[in-house]
Amino acid sequence: MDPISLEELALLDVLQRIDQGQPLTRHSRALHDRLISTALVEVGLIVPGEEPGLQLTDAGVERCKSLRHRVAADTEALQVLREREEAGAPSPAQTDVARGGLSQIGRGDDADSVTIDLSQAG
């Protein structure tokens, strides 16, 4: 699984700001119409003299939860990889190289027999 993208992190930040009633930054205003058109956000009560407030829709709440879980999973995965590295355990890339080496083992003429050349082992 690929790590969460910067675009998704920015979306999470905007959704959290809206959920907490914080003002949007200059950069996040560009998402305003897109969030409304995708039904993640809706315009709240309009108070005369004030800018209309934004609220998360049910879909926006679920998307926010999903992104939070993704960030937590990525953080946990990174921690596991760091712990493995510190313990000297092989990384997934090293394991893949080892598996690739096993695929180089030759097969005999009989499909049930496997020949392994140990002269190159070492």
Side-chain angles (χ1 to χ4, degrees):
M1 180 157 71
D2 293 329
I4 191 165
S5 70
L6 291 177
E7 183 178 279
E8 289 177 316
L9 285 173
L11 175 61
L12 175 59
D13 180 58
V14 171
L15 292 175
Q16 286 178 330
R17 284 179 170 278
I18 291 170
D19 187 44
Q20 297 167 0
Q22 296 176 352
L24 297 179
T25 64
R26 177 175 59 100
H27 301 290
S28 58
R29 291 215 177 265
L31 290 175
H32 181 268
D33 293 334
R34 199 167 115 196
L35 292 172
I36 291 173
S37 69
T38 58
L40 295 176
V41 173
E42 62 189 2
V43 177
L45 295 174
I46 299 176
V47 178
E50 290 186 23
E51 187 173 328
L54 299 175
Q55 300 174 352
L56 295 181
T57 62
D58 290 340
V61 170
E62 291 303 316
R63 182 71 171 140
C64 193
K65 286 180 186 178
S66 172
L67 290 170
R68 285 180 189 158
H69 287 295
R70 179 73 190 275
V71 169
D74 285 356
T75 302
E76 187 174 331
L78 183 60
Q79 182 62 33
V80 167
L81 291 175
R82 284 183 183 153
E83 288 172 2
R84 285 183 183 172
E85 186 177 286
E86 290 171 2
S91 70
Q94 292 169 329
T95 305
D96 290 343
V97 168
R99 284 188 191 131
L102 290 177
S103 69
Q104 301 299 320
I105 296 172
R107 283 203 165 266
D109 291 334
D110 183 1
D112 292 332
S113 69
V114 175
T115 58
I116 302 173
D117 183 5
L118 295 178
S119 65
Q120 296 178 10

